[in-house]
Amino acid sequence: MKVVIIGASFAGVSAALAIRKKHPVAEIHLIEKQETIGYLPGGINRYFNKTSESIQTAEFISEQQLIEKGISLLLNAKVVSMDSKQYIVKYEKQGATFFMSFDKLILATGSSQWSQKILGSDSEKVLKYKFLPGVLQAIKRLERSDKVALIGGGQIGGEAADMLLKKGKEVHLFERMDYLLFKYFDEEMIRPVQAEMESRGVVFHFDEMVEKAIDTDEGLLIETKKSKLLCDSAIFAMNVRPDLGYLDESIQTHTDQTVFVNEYLQTSQADIFAIGDCIQVQYGVSKDSFYIPLVNNAVRAGLVVAQNLVEPTTPFVGSLRTIGTKLVDYYIASTGLTEAEGLFHGQSIAVAHVQQKSTQFSGCEKICGKIIFEKESHKILGAQLISKANILEKINTLALGIQMGQKLEALYQKDFLYHPYYSNVIDITNQLGFEGLWSDTDEN
Ligand code: FAD
């Protein structure tokens, strides 16, 4: 079996390694348009925060590791078209054109940062650093910038604000909604983080959509309907999008230009699969599919595609949009539905808040938690955690509970370790279940 994978990032590499395990004698070819592989998209923050020596070491896999597994890696090779009926892809490398046949093809070409809505967003002063070449440019330009605008207040914008504050820059953050990280947190949960950022100097421009980024002799002019701001550079921190110009017409796409796949990750041609940032995934809480570009989705889809390559056996369970990060001393984590999103959920929802001190081991810091659940059935739908103690891993327990369809009754009874120094008498995840149940009972 000859498997060709286009794109050697999280999804493509995960698929290649899993296919190698499941099919030890398969011929596996990874085709990648960049010169290098494995760069971690948040690597620039690690570099500026000095947790990474050089930007090149912020990588999750090396070429050598793939070669040792007998996976052929074609770098600097861009797939420009395909013929899904003839089972052939066409790629360009160093000005020449080549063809490669396949038995199974996996599209893992991910996404990049571009917008047709913001005039001038392709300016080189609007920094995009998903991939290594962009990072190298961004590092140079940020070193020379005093005043930086962030376009977007999601995870990328939040982390960029944190990093720039540490570098002593003047930071302006533009966000079309009225608070930070709205996809993942309800306003009251993220408020302390926002207040801390503001007290450290971030100027928030909420309810402002950037319309233009105009390159002038004096600098970069950022324009919204409400204001204009002259700055030295801007960071593009908005949604990423797939770029699928190489597809042929027999591969169906959605209106947002993602590739259409079934639950087994097969495209409209059964021997061609698509994974990672170029597809929509089922949102685990609502069962509708959405565009949720996250590394964890890309990696898990890579594992699942290996299972389905020869025979469709394993449906992809989709995503709960689980995230976690650290901003201005706060660890923040979220999974599943927010209360604000609950308006669109088919059933009535209820929420409960919990405050707990973290362990002696992690400094007895306050942990704030929130759980969102179905009012009638008590099925857990979402959770959010914020603390100055590192509680990030706890969100994974809550995500698993949601993925398994658990109810509050099961969550508060789940097993947990107890140790006087390393844990609390009741784990926050259990307490969220209990408080949810109790507050609900109390109301009735
Ligand atoms: P990609 O990483 O986009 O990789 C696609 C690959 O395909 C690329 O290497 C590209 O060069 C190659 N390619 C594309 N077209 C062709 C072609 N025609 N021929 C050959 N090769 C091609 N997610 C998280 O979960 N956690 C985070 O902390 C996080 N931080 C992020 C920070 C930033 C700044 C950004 C922009 C994104 C971040 N993300 C994060 C999102 C994450 O980067 C993506 O979800 C992830 O990279 C998707 O992996 P992928 O393999 O599907 O696609």
Side-chain angles (χ1 to χ4, degrees):
M1 178 166 65
K2 182 172 176 187
V3 184
V4 173
I5 304 171
I6 316 175
S9 180
F10 296 98
V13 167
S14 158
L17 294 173
I19 293 167
R20 169 53 69 237
K21 264 207 171 352
K22 196 165 161 68
H23 302 283
V25 295
E27 207 182 301
I28 307 172
H29 299 268
L30 267 167
I31 308 181
E32 169 56 53
K33 68 178 177 185
Q34 297 185 73
E35 263 174 47
T36 55
I37 59 156
Y39 170 70
L40 292 169
I44 192 167
N45 302 324
R46 289 180 54 189
Y47 172 78
F48 276 129
N49 294 339
K50 306 226 179 316
T51 49
S52 179
E53 278 293 296
S54 100
I55 194 68
Q56 276 82 359
T57 60
E59 61 174 25
F60 70 93
I61 186 105
S62 68
E63 291 162 33
Q64 193 53 35
Q65 282 168 291
L66 289 173
I67 292 163
E68 279 164 13
K69 296 273 180 205
I71 294 164
S72 119
L73 183 61
L74 261 172
L75 293 176
N76 275 320
K78 180 176 178 180
V79 171
V80 288
S81 63
M82 61 191 276
D83 186 332
S84 48
K85 295 206 172 82
Q86 301 294 319
Y87 285 65
I88 283 175
V89 294
K90 177 173 157 187
Y91 65 92
E92 287 173 356
K93 187 173 163 69
Q94 289 158 346
T97 301
F98 301 87
F99 295 88
M100 190 183 281
S101 64
F102 60 84
D103 298 316
K104 305 282 177 184
L105 178 68
I106 300 174
L107 315 176
T109 47
S111 63
S112 42
Q113 297 168 288
W114 54 276
S115 164
Q116 283 172 331
K117 289 194 186 138
I118 304 176
L119 195 76
S121 61
D122 53 351
S123 156
E124 57 181 35
K125 289 186 186 153
V126 181
L127 309 173
K128 298 147 197 110
Y129 48 69
K130 184 164 182 221
F131 300 110
L132 191 56
V135 175
L136 298 173
Q137 276 175 19
I139 288 175
K140 271 196 221 142
R141 194 164 281 279
L142 286 175
E143 294 288 7
R144 285 187 273 125
S145 300
D146 294 322
K147 187 170 174 182
V148 184
L150 303 177
I151 310 176
Q155 186 177 347
I156 301 173
E159 288 179 357
D162 184 56
M163 178 253 294
L164 294 170
L165 282 179
K166 288 184 184 132
K167 296 280 293 172
K169 311 284 179 189
E170 183 180 333
V171 184
H172 290 256
L173 189 148
F174 291 84
E175 166 57 53
R176 71 187 161 94
M177 300 298 283
D178 53 2
Y179 63 95
L180 270 187
L181 286 144
F182 74 92
K183 278 191 201 155
Y184 310 100
F185 294 92
D186 291 308
E187 204 262 337
E188 84 282 4
M189 292 299 288
I190 207 69
R191 202 179 295 137
V193 178
Q194 224 166 266
E196 183 62 35
M197 281 191 162
E198 211 157 15
S199 76
R200 294 188 192 192
V202 176
V203 182
F204 288 114
H205 302 253
F206 287 125
D207 292 314
E208 284 196 62
M209 209 153 97
V210 173
E211 293 183 338
K212 290 180 193 162
I214 305 163
D215 219 339
T216 70
D217 290 343
E218 289 78 41
L220 187 70
L221 187 64
I222 301 290
E223 275 192 36
T224 73
K225 279 208 166 52
K226 288 186 192 164
S227 64
K228 289 184 184 177
L229 178 85
L230 193 65
C231 53
D232 300 312
S233 57
I235 291 178
F236 186 99
M238 294 176 30
N239 254 344
V240 288
R241 301 190 181 284
D243 194 357
L244 297 159
Y246 63 91
L247 286 187
D248 72 12
E249 65 287 346
S250 60
I251 304 296
Q252 279 176 23
T253 53
H254 293 279
T255 47
D256 65 356
Q257 296 308 307
T258 49
V259 182
F260 171 84
V261 287
N262 66 13
E263 58 184 333
Y264 302 106
L265 302 168
Q266 284 169 308
T267 66
S268 40
Q269 209 279 44
D271 287 319
I272 302 181
F273 298 77
I275 54 177
D277 272 14
C278 62
I279 60 167
Q280 292 186 358
V281 293
Q282 185 184 301
Y283 184 34
V285 177
S286 72
K287 306 295 178 213
D288 292 327
S289 74
F290 291 100
Y291 189 52
I292 309 178
L294 285 176
V295 167
N296 112 54
N297 298 341
V299 170
R300 289 180 300 119
L303 302 180
V304 170
V305 86
Q307 295 292 90
N308 293 330
L309 212 50
V310 177
E311 208 189 333
T313 55
T314 312
F316 183 53
V317 296
S319 170
L320 286 172
R321 215 179 42 195
T322 307
I323 64 135
T325 185
K326 187 180 179 201
L327 302 178
V328 284
D329 297 343
Y330 284 93
Y331 292 91
I332 62 173
S334 156
T335 187
L337 201 80
T338 60
E339 183 179 359
E341 269 181 311
L343 283 176
F344 308 102
H345 188 67
Q347 311 286 324
S348 305
I349 62 150
V351 305
H353 290 85
V354 167
Q355 282 197 12
Q356 196 188 71
K357 283 259 181 279
S358 74
T359 65
Q360 230 175 317
F361 170 71
S362 49
C364 299
E365 297 284 359
K366 186 166 76 174
I367 310 175
C368 298
K370 176 171 182 174
I371 190 154
I372 298 104
F373 53 94
E374 275 180 5
K375 203 172 167 53
E376 281 295 309
S377 71
H378 294 170
K379 197 169 136 193
I380 317 159
L381 300 171
Q384 297 159 37
L385 295 172
I386 297 205
S387 176
K388 289 187 178 171
N390 186 351
I391 40 66
L392 293 183
E393 278 294 331
K394 293 202 181 288
I395 208 70
N396 291 331
T397 307
L398 293 158
L400 183 63
I402 300 172
Q403 207 172 23
M404 296 292 113
Q406 275 193 340
K407 298 185 174 175
L408 297 172
E409 288 81 350
L411 185 65
Y412 90 80
Q413 282 206 56
K414 76 171 176 48
D415 234 34
F416 65 91
L417 78 90
Y418 173 72
H419 183 282
Y421 188 60
Y422 295 109
S423 64
N424 280 320
V425 173
I426 178 164
D427 193 78
I428 181 109
T429 52
N430 289 62
Q431 203 185 343
L432 279 167
F434 183 71
E435 291 288 339
L437 194 63
W438 180 83
S439 62
D440 195 39
T441 318
D442 196 41
E443 272 176 35
N444 294 325

